[in-house]
Each structure stands twice: as structure tokens, then as C-alpha cells.
């Protein structure tokens, strides 16, 4: 059933520029770093002389984080907006599907789209590194961790934005929350460890990124469950 | 348990919004194969009732049984056999009609061939590959009906399917709906705020006003209430009225017109003869039929009269 719901979701986002947005995020992030490294090539290669790839990955991650926060808010808002536009909820939820699964499908769609975005960061970063003439070996582990750890630590926000976007027909509120999240994430390193906005930075007192990832997954699951139950409980507009 | 003769049955169905009952103890009963006209003025509680029938809204009190099963307990199994169109049609404007139906088809799990079938039933085959946002309201409405038919439902719930359509569009939807029970064997619940719209197709009607069901019976019973009267245009109606009363006729005089209940030709002739004999000038003898619409208005407008 979940697969059927997801295939319907993917059909519905056709011609909606959502895929373009998914690609545009990583293109923009890596593109800006291309400008950064292009303009300050000598300065930056001297600064990161010991680990050129590491320097590039750190810089890409730095930009990718706020992009991910605002991107996931927009993706969640657009995928929910498809239903809000003509209030298709009353049509979809009068079909023989459970409300929980309908909510789950929207959440999963957002997760998958964000996953594609984060995955695209890998080849784009590689391409930029090669173009800049960085030598092998490529730190594959570091690159993959930089792409997927923040994505996993971000789950509470994916769940929150999915929930807010399907709950409110007016997308101003979820988008505002998304923008505030983005700003908060930029100052994440100053927050105490328990603040979820800090987790995608993967910085904590134990110097173990997986703790941040684990916390993100746990809170993400909790927010998703609360959102799903609330969505199933309330009347359809 | 639910009565097996009814395909849809509600018991004391009530919905309160902010303490105020929007739907109040409604007992609907719809038999298999019927076209049930669910009537009421705007804001009477039709859509709220229909939302509860489909499990979109939860009743404050009371129950809904469809095919003998409780909607709260077996919602998904019930909805497999129900097609619906609630209020205005919902669609994905950026997609074509075919893609819209495909999105729903994937959830229903019916064969792909159904899409072509329902498109031809609502006569949208030629326009099927255009983006729906460019459709006229009538076409969107037809797409909504096609979506409702996609799962080959046994019960079709159509909430104001002709709302906002021009007379030609209304006629077209009406013909379409009338053709369904015969050719597809479905039971139809159709709501409307116009009696004239459903009286030609409904076999039974329920009338709701201010949240309460005030009438539920065959359309024939409603027609019988629409008794016609014989009206007399005379020179001195008040004197004529007294005259008729004194001769034992049940005449009515409401200070505007003089009338009697519809009766046979011989009695009418006798009344006219009586009036002429007493030197009344008779200008007109007319038969006046109260329209169903007027009865409907009387019922819904002044709830207390019933």
C-alpha cells in the first residue's frame, strides 16, 4: 500500500518544478564554492594545503546546511501545496487508504527528495575537486559522511515541516518556521548540545558525529509519530 | 446491528461545531439501487453529513453504517466500494485528466483500462490529455464524477454535482447520473439545494433543514402534498365565499383570492352555476398547481409547520 501511495505521490509532483529544485540546491551550493575557490584559489589552497579535499568538503558542508534547511521547508510546502490547491485532501482521504499512511507517504516523499539532493552533493563536489586539480586519493568516507550525516540529523525538521505543511493550507506559517530554522542552523555551533538545530553540524561534547545523527533520528521519529497521529485524528477540511 | 435492507443507514447522527449542532440526530436510510435526493438549503448540514458518511469528519454522536458495517471500524473496507465527489471537485490542475485518474487509480489498485472507461462515460476522452486547470467548470465536475466511478463503486455519493453549472451542463450531468443505476447497478446519494434538480431522477428524498432531517420518503409522497386548487375570479369574492360556505363547499378566502380544493368537473360546474344564479360575475375559473419547489420552500423555510 505504501508503495502505491508513493508512486501516486511521485506522479503528482510531475511538472511541478520540484525535481528542478531538488537538483538546484546542490548545484547552487557547489557552484558558490566553485566561485569561492576560483576567486581565492591561492589563499584557500595554502590554508588547506595539508588536506585540500577536506577543505573543500568542509566548505561545501558549511553552505549545504542552510540550503538544506530552507530547501526541505520549500519541498515540504510544495508537496503539500499540491493537495491544498483544490483541497484534494477530501478526495484522497475518502479513498480506501488509511490517513496515517497518507501522511506517511508525504513525509517519505519529502525524505526521498531531500535524499536525492544530498546524494547529488557527492558527484558535484567530486567534479569541483577535479576541476580545481586536487590530487587523489579522494576521501570517500569523509565525503559520504558529509553528504548523509547532516541529512539524517535533520530528520526532526523534515518531520516538523511535513507536518506543518499538510496541517496549514496557508503555507506562510510553515515557510516562516523553515526560514527561522535556517537562520538558527547558521548559528548552530553556539547552541548547547541538546538543541536540535545544532545536530546537523555534527558537533558535540563527545566529538562523535554519530551521537548527533542518532539524536536526530530519534527525535525525527518522535515528531513524525506525533504528526501522524494528529493528522489521523482531526477532521478533514 | 444495522438493518440489512438498507445499504446506508445513520442513527442519530450528530455533529456539533463549537457547541452548536450543525447536524442534529439525522437518521438516513437508503436502499439498494435507489437514487436518493438529499435536499436542503445552503448551510443546512448536507455537506457535513456527507463528510461524516465518508469518514472525513467524526460524528459527535450517533453512527453510520454502510453495507451493514460501521464506518468507524471498517472505514477502508467500506470506502473500497464507495465513490464520492464532495462539494466542488478536487483535482491536480497541472496534470491531465488521464494523469489525475492515474494518481487515484494507483491508490485503488484497479486495472488501467478503467481510466479509459470512466473517461468515455463522462465523455472526456477527447480532452483527456490536456491540463485540467484549463477545463471549464462542467468538465472539472465531470472529471470529479469519473474519479468517483473509477473504483466501480456500489454506492456513489455526489455532493451538489451540478453546483455552478449552466443549464446545459446541469442537463448533461443529470442525464449522466440517471443513466448510472441502470447501466452500472449502483446506489446513488445526490445532494442538492434545488428540489427541481433531483425530482426528475430521485426515487426517494430526504430533506434537511437547520441540521435536522424533516422529511424522508418517496418522491411520490412529496408530489401528493403538491395538491392543486381551483381558483375563482369573481366580482365580489368575499360575498361569494360566504355563499359557497353556506352551500356546504369547503371554500377558502385569504383576502386575495377565492379557492376550493381540487375537485371533479361536476362540482366545479355546480359552484359556477350557484355563483351565476346569485348574480356574481365570474371572470376566471383556474386550476392552480402548487409546485414541489414551493412545498420544499415551505418545509425548509418554516420548519415548525411540519
Amino acid at each position: 500500500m505504501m508503495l502505491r501511495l508513493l508512486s501516486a505521490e511521485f506522479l503528482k509532483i510531475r511538472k511541478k518544478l520540484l525535481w528542478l529544485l531538488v537538483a538546484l540546491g546542490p548545484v547552487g551550493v557547489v557552484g558558490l564554492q566553485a566561485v569561492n575557490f576560483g576567486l581565492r584559489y591561492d589563499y584557500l589552497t595554502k590554508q588547506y594545503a595539508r588536506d585540500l579535499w577536506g577543505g573543500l568538503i568542509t566548505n561545501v558542508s558549511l553552505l549545504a546546511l542552510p540550503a538544506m534547511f530552507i530547501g526541505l521547508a520549500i519541498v515540504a510546502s510544495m508537496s503539500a501545496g499540491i493537495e491544498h490547491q483544490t483541497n484534494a485532501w477530501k478526495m484522497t482521504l475518502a479513498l480506501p487508504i488509511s490517513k496515517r499512511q497518507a501522511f506517511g507517504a508525504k513525509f517519505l516523499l519529502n525524505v526521498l527528495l531531500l535524499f536525492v539532493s544530498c546524494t547529488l552533493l557527492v558527484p558535484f563536489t567530486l567534479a569541483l575537486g577535479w576541476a580545481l586539480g586536487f590530487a587523489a586519493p579522494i576521501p570517500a568516507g569523509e565525503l559520504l559522511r558529509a553528504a548523509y550525516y547532516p541529512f539524517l540529523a535533520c530528520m526532526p525538521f523534515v518531520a516538523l515541516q511535513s507536518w506543518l505543511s499538510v496541517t496549514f493550507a496557508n503555507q506562510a506559517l510553515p515557510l516562516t518556521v523553515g526560514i527561522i530554522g535556517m537562520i538558527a542552523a547558521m548559528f548552530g555551533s553556539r547552541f548547547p548540545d541538546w538543541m536540535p538545530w545544532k545536530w546537523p553540524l555534527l558537533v558535540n561534547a563527545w566529538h562523535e558525529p554519530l551521537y548527533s545523527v542518532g539524536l536526530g533520528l530519534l527525535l525525527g521519529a518522535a515528531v513524525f509519530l506525533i504528526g501522524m497521529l494528529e493528522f489521523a485524528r482531526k477532521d478533514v477540511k | 446491528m444495522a438493518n440489512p435492507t438498507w445499504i446506508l443507514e445513520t442513527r442519530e447522527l450528530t455533529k456539533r461545531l463549537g457547541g452548536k449542532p450543525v447536524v442534529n440526530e439525522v437518521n438516513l436510510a437508503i436502499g439498494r439501487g435507489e437514487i436518493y435526493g438529499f435536499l436542503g438549503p445552503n448551510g443546512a448540514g448536507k455537506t457535513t453529513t456527507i463528510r461524516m458518511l465518508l469518514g472525513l469528519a467524526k460524528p459527535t454522536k450517533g453512527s453510520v453504517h454502510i453495507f451493514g458495517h460501521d464506518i468507524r471500524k471498517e472505514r477502508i473496507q467500506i470506502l473500497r466500494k464507495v465513490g464520492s465527489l464532495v462539494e466542488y471537485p478536487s483535482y491536480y490542475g497541472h496534470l491531465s485528466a488521464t494523469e489525475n485518474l492515474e494518481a487515484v487509480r494507483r491508490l485503488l489498485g484497479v486495472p488501467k483500462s478503467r481510466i479509459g472507461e470512466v473517461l468515455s462515460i463522462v465523455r472526456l476522452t477527447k480532452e483527456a490529455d490536456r491540463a485540467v486547470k484549463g477545463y471549464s467548470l462542467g468538465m472539472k465536475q465531470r472529471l470529479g464524477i469519473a474519479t468517483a466511478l473509477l473504483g466501480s463503486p456500489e454506492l456513489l455519493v455526489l455532493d451538489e454535482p451540478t453546483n455552478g453549472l449552466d443549464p446545459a451542463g446541469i442537463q448533461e450531468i443529470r442525464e449522466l447520473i440517471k443513466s448510472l443505476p441502470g447501466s452500472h447497478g449502483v446506489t446513488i446519494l445526490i445532494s442538492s439545494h434545488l428540489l427541481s434538480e433531483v425530482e426528475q431522477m430521485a426515487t426517494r428524498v430526504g430533506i434537511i433543514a437547520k441540521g435536522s432531517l424533516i422529511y424522508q420518503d418517496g418522491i411520490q409522497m412529496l408530489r401528493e402534498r403538491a395538491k392543486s386548487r381551483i381558483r375563482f375570479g369573481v366580482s365580489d369574492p368575499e360575498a361569494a365565499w360566504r355563499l359557497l360556505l353556506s352551500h356546504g363547499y369547503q371554500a377558502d378566502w385569504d383576502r386575495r383570492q377565492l379557492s376550493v380544493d381540487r375537485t371533479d368537473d361536476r362540482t366545479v360546474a355546480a359552484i359556477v352555476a350557484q355563483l351565476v344564479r346569485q348574480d356574481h360575475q365570474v371572470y376566471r375559473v383556474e386550476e392552480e398547481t402548487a409546485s414541489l419547489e414551493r412545498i420544499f420552500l415551505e418545509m425548509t423555510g418554516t420548519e415548525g409547520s411540519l
Side-chain angles (χ1 to χ4, degrees):
Chain A
M1 193 65 226
M2 209 56 209
L3 278 178
R4 281 203 230 148
L5 273 159
L6 262 183
S7 82
E9 289 296 337
F10 277 111
L11 173 69
K12 284 187 258 180
I13 62 169
R14 270 191 213 171
K15 302 181 209 164
K16 264 292 178 189
L17 300 183
L18 253 171
W19 285 113
L20 182 72
L21 187 74
V22 163
L24 217 57
V27 165
V29 167
V30 176
L32 279 172
Q33 283 310 329
V35 173
N36 182 25
F37 275 78
L39 289 177
R40 309 194 292 166
Y41 185 80
D42 294 330
Y43 171 77
L44 286 173
T45 46
K46 210 163 86 188
Q47 191 186 335
Y48 297 121
R50 272 196 307 141
D51 180 11
L52 286 171
W53 279 107
L56 176 62
I57 292 168
T58 310
N59 274 278
V60 166
S61 303
L62 212 65
L63 266 188
L65 212 60
M68 189 163 73
F69 266 89
I70 193 67
L72 75 88
I74 297 174
V75 164
S77 167
M78 283 177 77
S79 66
I82 292 171
E83 312 289 339
H84 288 308
Q85 225 156 41
T86 62
N87 193 11
W89 294 113
K90 63 181 166 60
M91 175 175 79
T92 311
L93 297 175
L95 294 172
I97 55 170
S98 90
K99 283 164 120 183
R100 291 179 187 191
Q101 285 182 336
F103 181 82
K106 276 283 179 224
F107 171 74
L108 216 54
L109 173 75
N110 296 335
V111 169
L112 286 173
L113 290 175
L114 197 63
F115 176 80
V116 172
S117 260
C118 291
T119 304
L120 286 177
L121 272 178
V122 177
F124 291 169
T125 309
L126 276 177
L128 178 58
W130 282 325
L132 291 168
F134 294 173
I138 299 153
E142 196 181 337
L143 187 57
L144 291 176
R145 276 195 293 276
Y148 295 121
Y149 277 10
F151 159 73
L152 294 173
C154 230
M155 280 306 140
F157 301 100
V158 184
L160 179 71
Q161 293 297 146
S162 303
W163 180 16
L164 291 177
S165 290
V166 300
T167 304
F168 297 97
N170 183 347
Q171 292 300 304
L173 181 86
L175 284 176
T176 308
V177 172
I179 291 166
I180 292 171
M182 177 186 74
I183 296 168
M186 288 198 284
F187 298 101
S189 55
R190 300 182 193 181
F191 293 156
D193 276 357
W194 58 263
M195 291 279 276
W197 287 274
K198 194 181 183 182
W199 302 344
L201 285 168
L202 310 174
V203 181
N204 53 51
W206 302 273
H207 303 290
E208 177 49 74
L210 280 176
Y211 288 171
S212 300
V213 171
L215 282 172
L217 287 175
L218 278 177
L219 186 63
V223 175
F224 167 72
L225 280 176
I226 297 169
M228 184 177 73
L229 293 176
E230 169 63 19
F231 180 77
R233 190 194 58 83
K234 75 182 175 65
D235 286 355
V236 182
K237 267 193 262 53
Chain B
M1 263 316 281
N3 186 331
T5 57
W6 302 118
I7 205 165
L8 184 153
E9 189 179 21
T10 71
R11 294 239 180 93
E12 295 180 3
L13 191 64
T14 302
K15 179 78 179 177
R16 273 184 239 281
L17 291 176
K20 191 175 158 278
V22 184
V23 173
N24 199 7
E25 310 207 329
V26 166
N27 298 305
L28 291 180
I30 303 177
R32 189 175 291 275
E34 279 182 349
I35 299 186
Y36 186 95
F38 190 38
L39 293 163
N42 291 329
K46 297 188 298 292
T47 298
T48 309
T49 306
I50 285 174
R51 278 169 190 275
M52 286 191 281
L53 298 183
L54 296 169
L56 291 172
K58 288 188 184 64
T60 312
K61 205 185 88 187
S63 67
V64 175
H65 283 87
I66 301 180
F67 311 122
H69 301 288
D70 191 331
I71 189 85
R72 273 169 307 182
K73 291 179 194 130
E74 289 162 79
R75 182 176 146 267
I76 293 178
Q77 283 90 316
I78 291 171
L79 289 180
R80 253 189 255 285
K81 296 189 280 181
V82 177
S84 62
L85 169 61
V86 182
E87 268 184 309
Y88 47 90
S90 290
Y91 53 90
Y92 305 110
H94 59 293
L95 300 176
S96 70
T98 312
E99 289 167 325
N100 266 278
L101 290 166
E102 173 64 16
V104 174
R105 187 201 70 82
R106 289 187 185 179
L107 302 179
L108 291 171
V110 294
K112 267 204 154 100
S113 58
R114 276 302 288 164
I115 293 180
E117 287 169 31
V118 293
L119 280 171
S120 78
I121 292 175
V122 300
R123 293 198 295 286
L124 275 179
T125 313
K126 264 190 263 169
E127 314 282 346
D129 295 320
R130 243 172 68 197
V132 174
K133 63 181 164 214
Y135 277 20
S136 69
L137 183 59
M139 290 163 73
K140 285 172 183 164
Q141 206 74 264
R142 266 145 60 196
L143 174 62
I145 294 177
T147 311
L149 289 172
L150 196 60
S152 312
E154 288 175 34
L155 172 66
L156 194 57
V157 178
L158 302 173
D159 186 16
E160 310 231 356
T162 55
N163 219 354
L165 295 185
D166 56 27
I170 292 176
Q171 179 67 23
E172 196 167 357
I173 299 272
R174 188 186 292 154
E175 292 305 318
L176 175 63
I177 291 167
K178 261 161 92 174
S179 74
L180 290 174
S183 54
H184 303 268
V186 292
T187 306
I188 301 181
L189 166 65
I190 177 170
S191 87
S192 178
H193 56 268
L194 294 172
L195 176 61
S196 56
E197 203 176 278
V198 298
E199 66 163 295
Q200 292 162 46
M201 49 184 174
T203 47
R204 248 158 71 88
V205 290
I207 299 179
I208 188 170
K210 293 173 191 158
S212 301
L213 196 67
I214 53 175
Y215 177 87
Q216 177 171 254
D217 210 332
I219 189 99
Q220 205 48 48
M221 312 298 250
L222 203 59
R223 287 219 177 89
E224 270 163 32
R225 285 171 180 248
K227 276 187 300 187
S228 53
R229 301 183 64 76
I230 309 286
R231 197 166 63 198
F232 294 92
V234 292
S235 48
D236 184 358
E238 197 164 350
W241 172 54
R242 292 213 183 86
L243 174 75
L244 291 183
L245 283 182
S246 68
H247 284 82
Y249 298 111
Q250 283 296 319
D252 284 317
W253 164 239
D254 64 0
R255 306 213 158 270
R256 272 188 18 253
Q257 57 185 27
L258 176 67
S259 61
V260 297
D261 282 349
R262 199 192 127 80
T263 174
D264 57 286
D265 292 350
R266 188 175 299 206
T267 317
V268 176
I271 291 173
V272 173
Q274 194 65 251
L275 289 169
V276 171
R277 231 174 278 143
Q278 299 294 323
D279 285 339
H280 284 284
Q281 296 178 42
V282 179
Y283 308 135
R284 280 179 189 79
V285 180
E286 322 174 286
E287 187 166 332
E288 183 197 53
T289 314
S291 69
L292 277 181
E293 208 60 56
R294 220 176 86 194
I295 291 170
F296 176 54
L297 263 180
E298 275 166 18
M299 285 167 95
T300 55
T302 50
E303 200 181 338
S305 67
L306 268 163

